[in-house]
Amino acid sequence: MNTISFEWLLARRFLTENKGQTSIIVLGIAIGVAVMVFLTALIDGLQANLIQNTVGRSPHIVISSEENAAADALKTFDGEKVLLIDASQKTMRPIVEWRSLTNSLTGDSRIETVLPVVEGAGLIRHGQVNRSILLKGFDIRNGDRIYDISDSIIAGSQNVQEGAVLLGKDLAADLGVSAGEPIQLELSGREPLTVMIDGVFDLGVSSINQRWLIMDQRKAAALLGKGDRISTIEMQVYDVLEAENLAREWGTRLPDYQVKSWQESNASLLAALRSQSSSSYTIQVFVLLAVILGMASVLAISAVQKSKQIGILKAIGIRTGSVSRVFLYQGLVLGVAGTGLGFTMGLLMSQLFVVLAEQEYTLLVKPATAAIIISATVLASALSAYLPARQVSKIDPIEVIRNG
Amino acid sequence: MADVLIRTAGITKDYGNKVKTRVLFGIDLEFCAGEFTVMLGASGSGKSTLLNILGALDRSTEGDVFVNNTNLNSLDDDGLALFRNQTMGFIFQSHFLLPQFTVLENVLIPHMIYADRVNPTIEKRALELLDMVGISHRRDNRANAISGGEQQRAAIARALINRPRIILADEPTGNLDTANTEKVFSLLQSINREFKTTFIMVTHNSELAQRSDRYLVMSDGRILEDKYLNVKCLE
Ligand SMILES: Nc1ncnc2c1ncn2[C@@H]1O[C@H](COP(=O)(O)OP(=O)(O)O)[C@@H](O)[C@H]1O
Ligand SMILES: [Mg+2]
C-alpha cells in the first residue's frame, strides 16, 4: 500500500490553499537563510583575505634546525638585537642532507612549493650609512612561486637573471643605492666584499623590504662559507589551513628539525579569527532557531485551521502517521523553497555589498558552509513540523463530527 | 435467517474522567446484511454515540462490537482506520467535503488514502456515482462552490466509492429542506436496494422510519423499541 502520493497531494493543497500565509513563511525562512549566507560570506571572505595577506607571499611551513630556529625568532627584532644573531649563528646547525629532504618533501602531493634557503645576517655599508641585513639565498625561479620576486622588481632589469643580486626597496632607499651600483657587504666572520646590485624589489612587506638581500643559493652559500649546506627549507602548501597539521606530521618524521607552520607564528591572529567565527556561528544558530520557531508556529496554526479537514480524513480512514507526514512534507517544501530563495538572496546581497562598499576582497561562500546551511535549514524545517504533527495526532474525528 | 453483519454485546459508554456519566447502558443488537435500519430518539438519547461505536470511530467502555465476526476491540488505531476506510461509509449532517479539492477528487479521497494512484477504473466508478447522485455536471467544481443539497449528495458518492458493506448516516437530511430530504432519502434507499448495502440511519423524521426495513427508538441510552417493518432480515 503506497499512500505517499496522496500525502504529497494533501500537503500541496494545504500549502496552495492559503498562498499568502505560505509566501510569508517562505519569505521568513528566506530572510533567515539570506542573513546566514551573507554573514558567512562576509566573515569567510574577510578571513580568507586576512589569511591571504598573511601567508600569500610567505612560506606556510619552515623547516630549520633547532638553533637556527632560535636565531630565526630574534631576526625580526631591531638592528641592535640582530647583532646577537651573528653570535648565535656560530652554533647554528645547518641542514646537510637537504637534497634528499627536499626530494621527499616534493613527493608530498599536499605540498606545492619546496624552497631550500641559505640564510645569514650581515651588514651593508654604503658611503656613511650602515644597515644590518638578512642575506637570503635561494633559486630565484623557484622562489618566485612563494615571493613572486620577478614581478616585484621596481628598478633594474625586469628579466631577473640566475645570478642576480636584489635589494629590498626600503633598504635601497636608506642606503641610497640603486640598481647597477656596488655596495660593501660584511657577513659575520667573513672578509668585507663588494657586490653589484642588479635590481631593487618591492614585496609589499616592509620587514622584507627593509632587510632582505636576495641572491642565488650557491652564491650565498659561498659568501657565507656554508659549502653545500643550507639554513632552512621554506614551503607553501595547497591548503593553507592544513599547514599546521602538515607541519606536525613532518615534525614527527623529522625529529632533528624544527618544523613550524604559519599558524604557530601567527597564533594571535588565528585566535582572533576563531573567536570571530564562533560569534558568527552563534548568530547563525540563533537565526536558525528563529526560523524553526517561526515555521513551527505557522505550521501549528495551519494544523489548527485544518483540524476539521483532518478530523474528517481520519473518520474516512487516514492514519495518524499519514497526517503527520503531510505536515512533515509541508515543512520540507517550505524549507526547500525558503532555503533556495534565501540562498539566492544571500548571494545577491553579498554581491551588492562588494559593489556598494567597494570591497577589495570577494565575499566567499565555501561549498562546505553552503552545504551546512542548506542541510541545517532543511532539517530544521522538517523538525519544526514535529509540533504540528503531534498536534494532528490528537485530533479526534468525533469532536469534529459532533461540532459540525 | 440472513447473515448477521453487525452484532453488539453489552455495549456501554461512559463519558468523563472523574465524574463518569453513562450514556449507553448495555446495548445488544444485531444488524443483518442489506438491512435498512432507521434510528429514532430524542436529542441526547445516545444515537450518535452508538453509531460512532458501531462505525469504529469510537470505542465502547464495556462490551464488544463484532463486524463480520471481527471484534473491533481487537484492532489498534491504524487497524480501525483501515477498517473504517474499507468497510464503512459515513454520511453526516454536515457534508464534511474538503474545500481544497474538487467534487470528483472528494469522491476519490477514500480510495486515494490507501491506493497508489487513481486508475481509470476507479475514476469511471466515481463518475458513475456522481451521475447516480445527479451532480456529474459539478465534478470539477470546488467542493465549497456548490449548493448544500449537492454537497450532501457528493458526500454520499464519497461514502460509496470504496464499496463499503455498511453505511452509517447520522441525520443526513438534518440540514436539508423537504424536497432535498426526499431526494436524499430515496437515493439512500435505491443504493440499499441496488448494492445490498447495510444502512443504519439516524433521523428525527418518523415518517422516514415508516419507509425502512426496521426502526429502533432510543431513550436515555437504552433501546426502547425495535420494530421490523419488513421480514427480509428474519426470513
Ligand atoms: N464527548 C462527550 N463528553 C461528555 N458527554 C458527551 C460527549 N458526547 C456526548 N455526550 C453526552 O452523551 C449523551 C448522548 O449524546 P449523543 O450520542 O450525541 O446523543 P444523540 O445523538 O442521540 O443526540 C448526551 O447527554 C451528550 O451530552
Ligand atoms: Mg446525534
Side-chain angles (χ1 to χ4, degrees):
Chain A
M1 267 182 291
N2 183 349
T3 62
I4 303 244
S5 55
F6 181 64
E7 290 164 5
W8 270 109
L9 180 67
L10 206 55
R12 245 176 28 228
R13 291 291 167 88
F14 280 175
L15 284 173
T16 49
E17 187 195 15
N18 196 338
K19 291 203 177 71
Q21 199 177 56
T22 304
S23 316
I24 285 175
I25 188 62
V26 167
L27 202 66
I29 298 166
I31 290 172
V33 172
V35 167
M36 288 194 276
V37 168
F38 179 67
L39 202 64
T40 344
L42 191 69
I43 302 252
D44 286 355
L46 192 73
Q47 297 200 346
N49 183 54
L50 265 171
I51 290 172
Q52 191 52 39
N53 283 350
T54 309
V55 300
R57 273 183 169 193
S58 64
H60 303 160
I61 299 174
V62 177
I63 298 181
S64 53
S65 61
E66 298 286 333
E67 291 86 342
N68 194 17
D72 217 39
L74 287 170
K75 247 173 7 198
T76 51
F77 290 109
D78 58 61
E80 285 277 53
K81 284 187 180 161
V82 163
L83 288 175
L84 292 174
I85 295 172
D86 286 313
S88 73
Q89 238 177 2
K90 292 200 172 65
T91 63
M92 187 172 86
R93 224 172 43 189
I95 303 175
V96 183
E97 69 276 32
W98 62 274
R99 278 180 225 279
S100 61
L101 199 52
T102 302
N103 273 342
S104 51
L105 288 167
T106 312
D108 189 328
S109 61
R110 296 164 296 180
I111 298 175
E112 192 177 9
T113 307
V114 180
L115 183 68
V117 179
V118 175
E119 261 183 32
L123 206 68
I124 293 181
R125 285 186 206 286
H126 188 70
Q128 300 294 315
V129 198
N130 302 343
R131 282 290 178 273
S132 70
I133 58 114
L134 180 69
L135 173 60
K136 296 275 281 194
F138 52 76
D139 176 64
I140 304 246
R141 293 276 163 273
N142 198 10
D144 269 351
R145 296 170 61 186
I146 296 180
Y147 298 105
D148 202 12
I149 297 151
S150 295
D151 289 334
S152 311
I153 301 297
I154 55 168
S157 168
Q158 297 295 316
N159 183 14
V160 181
Q161 298 299 314
E162 191 81 338
V165 176
L166 306 167
L167 198 60
K169 180 186 90 172
D170 299 339
L171 194 52
D174 286 353
L175 293 165
V177 199
S178 175
E181 290 178 19
I183 46 116
Q184 281 286 113
L185 177 62
E186 288 176 25
L187 296 166
S188 54
R190 316 288 296 176
E191 289 293 304
L193 50 108
T194 305
V195 175
M196 273 304 247
I197 299 299
D198 298 305
V200 176
F201 60 82
D202 176 8
L203 288 186
V205 181
S206 62
S207 60
I208 292 179
N209 286 345
Q210 280 168 4
R211 299 226 325 120
W212 281 21
L213 176 68
I214 298 175
M215 63 179 71
D216 182 67
Q217 179 196 334
R218 240 161 294 147
K219 195 166 176 176
L223 294 187
L224 288 163
K226 283 192 189 268
D228 186 35
R229 289 168 300 180
I230 61 159
S231 317
T232 62
I233 297 177
E234 300 185 352
M235 289 179 277
Q236 279 203 343
V237 297
Y238 288 102
D239 183 355
V240 185
L241 299 176
E242 270 300 298
E244 192 168 20
N245 291 334
L246 219 59
R248 203 170 300 132
E249 197 183 300
W250 277 99
T252 51
R253 284 165 72 173
L254 305 171
D256 291 343
Y257 297 102
Q258 196 190 43
V259 184
K260 201 170 172 187
S261 66
W262 70 271
Q263 281 105 323
E264 267 182 88
S265 325
N266 294 280
S268 61
L269 169 76
L270 282 167
L273 293 188
R274 234 169 262 134
S275 70
Q276 191 185 42
S277 288
S278 61
S279 62
S280 144
Y281 294 147
T282 311
I283 295 171
Q284 304 207 25
V285 165
F286 278 105
V287 170
L288 197 63
L289 216 60
V291 167
I292 292 178
L293 288 177
M295 185 150 54
S297 60
V298 168
L299 285 176
I301 290 167
S302 138
V304 172
Q305 289 169 337
K306 306 278 189 307
S307 58
K308 189 171 161 185
Q309 280 107 51
I310 290 158
I312 195 65
L313 281 167
K314 280 189 167 183
I316 61 182
I318 201 167
R319 282 165 299 193
T320 300
S322 252
V323 188
S324 298
R325 277 195 296 278
V326 169
F327 280 82
L328 180 77
Y329 294 154
Q330 290 186 68
L332 272 176
V333 169
L334 292 172
V336 169
T339 307
L341 183 65
F343 216 87
T344 318
M345 278 164 54
L347 291 181
L348 285 176
M349 269 163 71
S350 310
Q351 212 51 47
L352 206 68
F353 178 81
V354 171
V355 173
L356 292 184
E358 292 175 10
Q359 292 301 312
E360 283 172 16
Y361 56 93
T362 48
L363 299 197
L364 186 76
V365 181
K366 294 183 204 152
T369 319
I372 289 173
I373 292 178
I374 290 172
S375 43
T377 318
V378 173
L379 200 75
S381 318
L383 202 74
S384 55
Y386 175 76
L387 201 69
R390 270 192 46 158
Q391 231 172 342
V392 295
S393 70
K394 289 193 193 122
I395 294 172
D396 183 355
I398 296 172
E399 287 304 315
V400 175
I401 292 160
R402 190 191 311 282
N403 300 324
Chain B
M1 191 166 145
D3 292 341
V4 172
L5 187 56
I6 307 172
R7 186 166 64 83
T8 72
I11 292 180
T12 68
K13 181 69 180 179
D14 297 342
Y15 282 118
N17 289 324
K18 286 194 184 129
V19 184
K20 293 208 194 304
T21 320
R22 181 149 289 197
V23 299
L24 291 179
F25 297 85
I27 306 287
D28 296 298
L29 282 171
E30 288 185 350
F31 298 89
C32 294
E35 189 176 81
F36 197 116
T37 304
V38 163
M39 206 186 285
L40 300 167
S43 276
S45 58
K47 306 181 296 294
S48 295
T49 303
L50 177 57
L51 209 64
N52 291 341
I53 292 171
L54 294 177
L57 283 166
D58 201 357
R59 292 181 188 272
S60 60
T61 305
E62 293 163 3
D64 293 312
V65 180
F66 298 90
V67 177
N68 230 355
N69 294 323
T70 301
N71 187 344
L72 296 189
N73 280 334
S74 70
L75 300 178
D76 63 5
D77 286 350
D78 282 354
L80 288 182
L82 182 63
F83 171 83
R84 289 197 295 274
N85 182 266
Q86 308 284 301
T87 314
M88 294 285 169
F90 295 96
I91 305 167
F92 303 102
Q93 191 167 350
S94 298
H95 56 83
F96 291 121
L97 299 173
L98 300 197
Q100 296 87 358
F101 293 84
T102 65
V103 170
L104 177 62
E105 285 170 339
N106 265 283
V107 173
L108 284 166
I109 283 174
H111 171 80
M112 290 195 286
I113 286 178
Y114 284 96
D116 183 15
R117 222 157 280 275
V118 176
N119 57 38
T121 319
I122 194 74
E123 186 167 343
K124 187 161 160 278
R125 175 172 166 75
L127 291 170
E128 282 167 5
L129 289 171
L130 284 178
D131 208 28
M132 186 183 82
V133 301
I135 53 165
S136 43
H137 60 295
R138 295 297 201 197
R139 51 174 284 189
D140 292 326
N141 286 75
R142 289 267 154 173
N144 51 4
I146 58 176
S147 77
E150 288 171 335
Q151 285 172 330
Q152 195 57 303
R153 281 182 275 160
I156 293 169
R158 179 179 66 185
L160 290 169
I161 189 74
N162 280 349
R163 302 177 190 275
R165 296 200 65 188
I166 303 158
I167 287 190
L168 303 179
D170 197 347
E171 303 190 37
T173 60
N175 282 345
L176 302 178
D177 57 22
T178 325
N180 271 312
T181 297
E182 181 52 39
K183 269 191 212 162
V184 164
F185 184 70
S186 41
L187 183 60
L188 297 183
Q189 273 196 318
S190 63
I191 291 162
N192 167 249
R193 291 199 191 102
E194 198 176 324
F195 303 127
K196 306 280 174 279
T197 313
T198 309
F199 271 80
I200 306 172
M201 181 180 113
V202 171
T203 183
H204 289 293
N205 190 331
S206 50
E207 193 249 321
L208 297 182
Q210 297 302 325
R211 292 159 62 186
S212 62
D213 296 330
R214 169 197 191 187
Y215 69 83
L216 299 165
V217 180
M218 283 197 77
S219 177
D220 293 333
R222 291 185 171 85
I223 304 294
L224 196 69
E225 198 183 341
D226 183 353
K227 189 170 167 78
Y228 285 86
L229 305 171
N230 223 325
V231 286
K232 188 165 115 187
C233 184
L234 295 173
E235 58 194 27

